[in-house]
Structures are given as structure tokens and as C-alpha cells.
Amino acid sequence: MNSHILRNLVFLMILVVANETGAQEAEISADSERPRIGLVLGGGGARGAAHIGVLRELERLRIPIDAIAGTSMGAIVGGLYASGMSPAELENLVETIDWEDSFRDGAQRKDRPFRRKQDDDQFPMRLELGVRDGELQIPLGFIQGQKLGLILRENTLAVADVDDFDQLPIPFRAVASDIWTGEVYVLSSGDLATAIRASMAVPGAFAPVVMDGRTLVDGGLVGNVPVSVIREMDVDIVIAVDVEFPLYGPADMQSAIDITAQMLTILIRKETLRQLDDLSDDDILIRPDLGNYGSTNFGGIANTIEPGAEATRRHAEKLSQLSLDEAGYARHIAARRVQPAVLPQINFAEVVDDGPLSARVLETRLKSETGEPADPSALADDAGRLYGLDLYEQVDYRLVERGEQTGVEFHTRAKTWGPNFLNFGIELQDDLQGDTSFNLSSRLTRRGLNALGAEWRTDIQIGTEPYLISEFYQPLSFDSRYFVAPRIELEQTNFNVFVDQDRVGRYRISNGGVALDVGRELGVWGEFRLGAFAGKGNANVKVGAPDLPESSFDVGGLFSSFKVDTRDNAQIPLDGLLIDIEFTTSRPGLGADSRFDLLETEFTRIWTRGRHSLNTGLKFNTSFQSDDLVQNFFPLGGFLNLSGLAQGAVSGPHAALAKLVYYRRTGETAPNIFDAPLYIGASLEAGDVWQSRSEISSSSVLFNGSVFAGVDTFFGPLFLAAGFSEGGESNFYLSLGRSPL
């Protein structure tokens, strides 16, 4: 190449570099000459989605945002926008989140181990207390924020490696309150998802977040519209958005709850007004017209977005003075938008846990594939499986770098109210004609007794049918598949004796014994057991003629059971399968005073489409060589158990029941997160009992039905039902507690 051509090429390169440098300098100069604009997004619960409408309109008006400070819902919207999400993406997010589910901590039932499914099946009350050093402990928040935390984690993965919030596409501050000092605490660094979660931890509702050595709750207590925080971020003009709930008028306060809410609003509003007084004439205050839209009404949250946009348009004239030209704003947005994260390949997965369980036990719960790109949904599912162990108040995950490898660490935080846990149940059955049964029960479980995950649980029930059952459960391997479980049992049950639909007596059957089981967990969906048992009992007449026979008996034998439970809800299920098969053999050589075999089977399948659910069930129980022992009879009668007959109206050594139950969910499609849906339904039931298998025939089957209304309450499902039989009998039922569905 000759020197003339080389000189021309060098000259052209100098011109190109000079032009690019000049353009950059011109852009920097123009950017430095305009005022820096800070955006303040206040807290207000569901009302805070109005911030999305504000952001959408600010972008339409080409208003550059140089810094954001947010509190509570304002921290969620502001933090995600600062991380690079667009208003359209934010709008799609709030519209597609299942808010009702996100505010429920419980892991999806499909992720819960089989033993934990037994807990919510047998003890439906939505209350868990802890026991430590002989004292009751309660959670620090009604909601631990597990699911919402994972939602925030997934939507901030693109900036997961950013520790300094000034290095986000838009510098950001989240405002929280230090619960111990009562002071405002501004989060400017650390983990973005955790900072947002801390800013919206409403005391009492959400558990506090420990961050930077402080215990943090909702920033609305000390700075719901944090104007002073944005001032410290070196801005010239402030755009503040206030979405606080307005004060009630005299006609709106109808209860003590309204008075309490008014008091809290006054306390928060006082500091908000002080912050807003700091705004100058150059600043802009946007107040969306949301009326009395409830801060907890997340079911209709998208309805608040447009009022935010409308409120912003009312300031269009003043805002237009801050707008950039189209080319300048395009460059501004391009510099702040984050490209969709290219998630790295996961080379390893570990659990960081300071509890007694071996890491190998926990890591067997992980299903994410190593050697594949990180999948946020799969990682969230893994966190859900760990959370489903019910040992932790929160399980989170982080992507980490080790040398040239990228992995995921799951971080667990043990329940502060453990390690002993109390669950509760209540059962009320009333036929509205004077026959009532009532039981209160409790389960005390000591979890994580050793590295393999042993636990000791004791069940106590008082009332019509008291019992005491204590079982020690010891897994035999790190994957918890095989186990051994010794237990003791003491219980009393009632058995009604009927003649021609008239009750003539009631037996009180008492028994106690010991058993030793060995078994295998079948994933999270089932369990198989084999065991041996021995004990004593008696059957005494509690009510009835004195000539009714009484007896005492010794028991001893072997049993096996196979159980499957994939229902989405143990009380009012909408989907899933339940199988329960038990076989018991009693032999004199094993300590019994009589020889018999019992087979008990139950099958239930539930389908749902839209609001409509269909529940089908089949039950068959039979005995072999039972000598007509009353303690081995199977009763029928009661709600969804031949509903037209009284509880236990018919009984015998052989029984069968088939049922078809339909129920429909009523109410709004997207209810308030504190609403409980009402179910209206009806059933068809067919079954009978027989004294011998030779008598079993379709012609002897009794047909019954029912209509009912039910709601799943804090104490368990509540049903009001009327049952009818083909013979003209009818019964009414009030049922609270464990569901018959």
C-alpha cells in the first residue's frame, strides 16, 4: 500500500473518530444543560399500580427520568422500572400476576411432602404457632412474602449482578422503616429484589426483612412519599406521585376497623404532607383520582393504571417544558433499557442452610437440570419444593460465579417461631335436631431432629371422640424414601345402633396400642406402609338398653396401606386424586383374641372447568371372618355419606358407597384477596351395608342426595346442607372443620 493511500485512510479514521466524539460531547453537553429530574413514587397498596399509568404518560411526553425513589408499591413499580422494564411490561406484569395466590405463603400443595399434606388434611385451621422453651411463639407477619419474593427475584434477574443501585439503568432508592428505631432507612445498595421486598413489608401483614443488619418494614410509616430522599440524589426538579388512601368522611366510618384505618391514615398522612410541603413551584405533584379504591383490592388492580395516566395528562403543559426532542429522548431511553438477560448455563446447584438437615437431604428436592441455561420458572419451583418442607419462613435463590462456572445457591431462613410447631383442627357436626358432635384437636410436631430429617409428632383431640397418637418418624436415607415409624395410640369412638332408622343405643369403643411401621415415600404424591400392631380395647354401651351386649378385646396383627394424594386443596378441592387402601389382618398368634381381615378402600377424583367442579367418589369396605364384631362394622349415614340418613344410621361388616358431587364457585372472577369464595352444590349418592357378601346386590342399594352451600373459612370449610333419601327421610347438617368432599 503506497503512502498516499495510507495517509488518506488515517485521515478518514480521524474524521470518523472526531465526528463520533463530537456527537457524544454534544449529547453530554445537552444532557448536562437540562435539569435533572427525579421521580418519587409513593406507597398505597393496590392503588400504587397508578404509577404505571404515570410512567406510560411520562414516556409519551418524552420526559427523561434521572433518578427514582419509591416506597412500598412505589418501590415495586419504581425499582422494576429503574431496572429496565418498560411501562408496557409493568402493565402486563400486574395484570398477569395471580395476586390472590401471591399473598399466600403456602407452597403449592403439589410441592408439599406427603406428611405435610396430611397436616392440612387433618388439621385445616389456618393457624400455626411455635413452641420454644415452653412458650408459644407466633410469626412476625401474617404473610412471609415467599411467593411475592420469587416474583420480584424473577423480574430482577437482568440486574442481579448490580450491587450499587446508582449503577442501575436509572439510579434508585427504596425507602423502608427500621422497626426497632422508628427511623427511615434508605436502601441504596445490596440485592434489589430484597430491598423492594423490605420497602413493602406492611407490619403485621408481612414479615419484616433483615437487611444490612437491620429489621426493616414498610417505608410508608416514616416516608410514604419520600421527597427528601430524591432531593439527596442531586436532582433539580421533582415529580412526586401521591396515591395514599384519602381520609374517610363521617358517613364512611361504620365500624371500629374504619376508625383504626382512619387513625393509621392520619399518622402516615402527617409525614406525607410534611414531605410534600418541600416541593417548590418548579416541582410537579401528581395525584391520581382513585376515590375510595381499596389498597387491598388487588383483584382489580389494573383499573388504577388509567387514572394515573389521566392525572399526568392534567400536568401536560408544565411537563412539556421538560420534554426532549424525539431523537434525544430515543437516545435517553435506549441508554436506560436493559436487553433481555441472556441467562447463563447452570453448572451446579447448592442449598445454603444453617439448620440441622444435611445439604444432601435438601438437594434431593432440587429438580433443575445442570448443564442447561437458568430457567427462572424451574428455579422458583425448586424454591417452592424446599419451602414446602414447612421448615422455613423464606427460601430464595441467587446466581453465583465460582471461577469460570455459574451456579445457583438456594438460601433458606428457618422459621423464627420454630422448631416445634402447633397445628389445630376443629370439627362440628350438627343435624339441627339435637345430635351434635364437637372435637378440638392439635398436632405438635418437632421437625428436623437430625440430619436425615426425623420428626416427632403428637396428636391430641378432646371432645366427642378423644384420642392421643404419638409417632416418631425416622427416614433411613438422604432422599427420605424409606422410613421407620414407631407409634402409640389411645382413642375412643362412638358407634350408633339403629333399628328401622331409629337409634336404640350408642357404644363407646375404647382402644389403645402400639405399632411399628416401615414404609416408603412415593415422591410427594403418596406413601406405602407395612406394620405390626398390638393392643387392647372394649366396647361399652354409653346410651341404650341395658341388655345390649358389651365386650373387651385384645388386638394384634399386621397391616399395609397405600395412599395417594394429588389434590390441589384438602378441604374444597378443584383438581386431583385421592386413593386410600388399607388391609388389616388380625391373628391370635400375634396377640389378638379373634381372627379377622379388613379391607378398606376409597377413591376420589376431582375435575374443574371454569367455575364448575365435579367430584366423584367410590368407597368399599369389607371384612373377612370378623365374627360380626361391632368394632369392625362400617357405618354409613351423614352428609355425603348417604345424606338422607342420620349419622351412622346403617352399619355392617360390608359397606359400599358411590357419590357424584357437583359444586360451583360463585362471586367475582377476581375477588379481593381477603374474600373467601362461596360454593353451591348438589350430590347423588348410592350405597348400603350388608351382613354378608352374598347379600350384596344392586337391587338393595339405597339412593340419596343433597344440596349444600359451603365456604372455606379460617377454621376450615363450613357447610350448610340438606340431605334426602329415596325412602322419604331427610336430614339437615351444619358442618365445620374437615371436609367430606
Side-chain angles (χ1 to χ4, degrees):
M1 182 181 296
N2 62 44
S3 59
H4 179 71
I5 295 175
L6 181 61
R7 282 196 302 271
N8 287 339
L9 287 174
V10 171
F11 180 70
L12 287 173
M13 291 175 64
I14 292 172
L15 285 177
V16 169
V17 171
N19 285 335
E20 289 183 351
T21 302
Q24 291 174 354
E25 288 178 349
E27 182 180 338
I28 294 173
S29 176
D31 198 55
S32 62
E33 290 176 358
R34 69 170 179 82
R36 281 177 50 82
I37 301 171
L39 179 64
V40 178
L41 303 180
R47 296 165 63 90
H51 296 316
I52 299 172
V54 173
L55 290 170
R56 187 179 70 196
E57 195 64 16
L58 290 178
E59 287 202 353
R60 189 188 69 82
L61 294 170
R62 303 194 302 275
I63 308 300
I65 302 299
D66 300 291
I68 300 176
T71 297
S72 196
M73 192 65 178
I76 295 178
V77 174
L80 295 179
Y81 185 71
S83 73
M85 290 184 73
S86 68
E89 290 169 328
L90 285 167
E91 186 168 355
N92 180 67
L93 179 64
V94 300
E95 288 179 343
T96 55
I97 286 178
D98 184 344
W99 289 98
E100 185 178 3
D101 182 67
S102 70
F103 287 111
R104 292 175 178 168
D105 282 320
Q108 294 187 47
R109 203 166 185 270
K110 68 180 180 64
D111 293 329
R112 294 168 65 84
F114 188 76
R115 287 180 69 81
R116 301 288 75 84
K117 291 180 180 178
Q118 292 176 320
D119 289 341
D120 64 21
D121 184 10
Q122 300 165 10
F123 297 86
M125 192 179 297
R126 296 172 187 166
L127 174 66
E128 180 184 78
L129 300 180
V131 180
R132 189 189 311 126
D133 299 327
E135 296 183 354
L136 289 177
Q137 308 288 323
I138 62 174
L140 296 179
F142 182 71
I143 302 169
Q144 301 305 310
Q146 170 67 15
K147 292 181 181 178
L148 190 57
L150 291 177
I151 292 171
L152 294 173
R153 173 67 57 205
E154 178 177 352
N155 285 280
T156 56
L157 277 180
V159 292
D161 58 343
V162 176
D163 184 68
D164 182 353
F165 296 168
D166 281 338
Q167 301 305 312
L168 291 170
I170 302 176
F172 173 69
R173 300 290 185 269
V175 177
S177 306
D178 188 320
I179 194 63
W180 303 127
T181 66
E183 298 175 349
V184 64
Y185 189 71
V186 180
L187 293 155
S188 60
S189 62
D191 178 70
L192 179 61
T194 305
I196 294 172
R197 165 72 180 81
S199 180
M200 47 78 61
V202 180
F206 283 90
V209 173
V210 177
M211 194 174 182
D212 299 341
R214 295 173 179 262
T215 302
L216 303 176
V217 297
D218 195 299
L221 298 178
V222 291
N224 204 41
V225 186
V227 174
S228 60
V229 174
I230 203 73
R231 291 281 191 218
E232 295 174 0
M233 298 180 73
D234 192 28
V235 299
D236 302 304
I237 293 177
V238 174
I239 300 174
V241 186
D242 178 14
V243 293
E244 278 186 13
F245 194 85
L247 291 173
Y248 284 126
D252 299 320
M253 290 186 286
Q254 304 295 327
S255 68
I257 295 177
D258 294 336
I259 295 292
T260 302
Q262 182 85 331
M263 177 192 70
L264 293 174
T265 301
I266 290 172
L267 294 175
I268 293 173
R269 195 69 185 160
K270 183 177 180 181
E271 173 59 22
T272 297
L273 292 175
R274 191 185 71 81
Q275 292 278 327
L276 296 180
D277 283 345
D278 189 48
L279 296 176
S280 69
D281 292 339
D282 294 329
D283 300 324
I284 299 170
L285 174 60
I286 299 174
R287 281 187 168 135
D289 184 9
L290 300 171
N292 287 334
Y293 186 90
S295 58
T296 62
N297 186 14
F298 285 86
I301 189 171
N303 295 329
T304 69
I305 295 175
E306 188 56 34
E310 291 175 0
T312 307
R313 285 193 288 269
R314 289 197 292 269
H315 298 273
E317 182 178 352
K318 190 171 183 179
L319 286 168
S320 63
Q321 301 173 22
L322 305 173
S323 64
L324 299 178
D325 59 43
E326 291 188 9
Y329 191 70
R331 290 192 298 269
H332 173 82
I333 287 294
R336 284 156 174 76
R337 285 284 186 265
V338 174
Q339 295 299 319
V342 178
L343 297 178
Q345 175 179 294
I346 297 298
N347 303 113
F348 61 89
E350 296 178 354
V351 180
V352 179
D353 176 73
D354 58 0
L357 267 64
S358 164
R360 291 177 61 185
V361 170
L362 298 173
E363 286 165 7
T364 60
R365 305 280 173 178
L366 306 180
K367 305 300 181 184
S368 296
E369 296 289 337
T370 56
E372 298 292 333
D375 181 349
S377 296
L379 295 176
D381 286 344
D382 278 343
R385 277 184 279 272
L386 293 174
Y387 189 77
L389 293 172
D390 251 6
L391 294 168
Y392 309 110
E393 61 183 60
Q394 194 160 28
V395 178
D396 198 0
Y397 66 87
R398 308 277 179 83
L399 300 182
V400 295
E401 301 285 343
R402 290 186 188 166
E404 297 182 356
Q405 290 192 325
T406 300
V408 59
E409 284 184 350
F410 292 88
H411 293 260
T412 65
R413 188 168 72 243
K415 290 182 176 180
T416 55
W417 60 98
N420 306 301
F421 302 100
L422 275 172
N423 299 102
F424 300 91
I426 184 172
E427 285 187 83
L428 170 65
Q429 302 288 336
D430 193 335
D431 65 1
L432 306 181
Q433 295 179 10
D435 189 5
T436 303
S437 64
F438 181 74
N439 296 295
L440 287 173
S441 57
S442 177
R443 169 170 286 173
L444 175 63
T445 307
R446 176 64 168 96
R447 300 177 193 155
L449 288 172
N450 55 36
L452 291 178
E455 63 180 48
W456 181 16
R457 72 184 186 192
T458 300
D459 300 347
I460 298 176
Q461 179 166 290
I462 59 174
T464 307
E465 297 187 333
Y467 62 68
L468 169 65
I469 303 173
S470 188
E471 178 187 77
F472 183 81
Y473 175 87
Q474 176 61 65
L476 301 177
S477 60
F478 286 108
D479 59 11
S480 302
R481 290 185 178 179
Y482 295 96
F483 62 86
V484 60
R487 71 179 185 276
I488 61 171
E489 298 181 356
L490 299 170
E491 61 180 341
Q492 291 184 325
T493 58
N494 294 325
F495 183 85
N496 294 323
V497 180
F498 286 80
V499 175
D500 296 329
Q501 307 301 320
D502 295 323
R503 189 175 67 188
V504 298
R506 175 180 292 172
Y507 277 93
R508 185 73 153 178
I509 300 174
S510 306
N511 60 71
V514 296
L516 177 64
D517 303 349
V518 293
R520 188 184 193 278
E521 282 190 357
L522 304 172
V524 297
W525 52 267
E527 176 188 88
F528 176 74
R529 288 193 182 211
L530 293 170
F533 64 93
K536 294 180 177 293
N538 56 69
N540 296 323
V541 177
K542 184 178 180 183
V543 177
D547 58 345
L548 287 173
E550 296 186 342
S551 65
S552 61
F553 51 87
D554 294 333
V555 296
L558 304 173
F559 82 96
S560 63
S561 69
F562 173 68
K563 301 177 187 293
V564 174
D565 188 353
T566 65
R567 294 172 299 170
D568 63 332
N569 184 296
Q571 306 306 326
I572 303 183
L574 302 180
D575 183 68
L577 174 69
L578 176 68
I579 299 174
D580 192 345
I581 302 173
E582 293 189 15
F583 182 77
T584 304
T585 180
S586 174
R587 295 293 183 270
L590 297 173
D593 54 17
S594 61
R595 175 190 178 95
F596 62 84
D597 299 310
L598 302 177
L599 175 64
E600 301 170 73
T601 67
E602 182 179 1
F603 174 89
T604 302
R605 181 69 173 93
I606 309 101
W607 298 269
T608 293
R609 184 169 184 176
R611 296 173 179 265
H612 306 275
S613 298
L614 193 64
N615 183 313
T616 61
L618 180 63
K619 184 185 296 184
F620 178 70
N621 300 330
T622 188
S623 60
F624 306 87
Q625 306 177 42
S626 68
D627 299 327
D628 289 339
L629 299 174
V630 67
Q631 62 268 25
N632 295 334
F633 278 17
F634 305 107
L636 290 179
F639 181 38
L640 298 185
N641 199 41
L642 294 184
S643 299
L645 305 182
Q647 187 84 26
V650 292
S651 62
H654 313 282
L657 175 72
K659 63 182 180 182
L660 181 65
V661 186
Y662 164 81
Y663 40 98
R664 182 183 188 275
R665 175 175 173 160
T666 67
E668 296 297 328
T669 303
N672 182 290
I673 63 171
F674 295 111
D675 284 348
L678 175 68
Y679 295 88
I680 304 295
S683 70
L684 293 174
E685 306 150 40
D688 203 356
V689 300
W690 300 273
Q691 295 304 309
S692 67
R693 271 187 295 277
S694 62
E695 298 176 0
I696 300 176
S697 67
S698 59
S699 62
S700 62
V701 169
L702 304 174
F703 291 91
N704 283 233
S706 72
V707 292
F708 61 86
V711 61
D712 198 359
T713 74
F714 173 83
F715 298 98
L718 173 66
F719 288 97
L720 185 63
F724 311 94
S725 74
E726 61 177 330
E729 298 93 346
S730 62
N731 276 279
F732 296 91
Y733 302 97
L734 175 66
S735 171
L736 175 65
R738 291 186 64 184
S739 172
L741 290 174

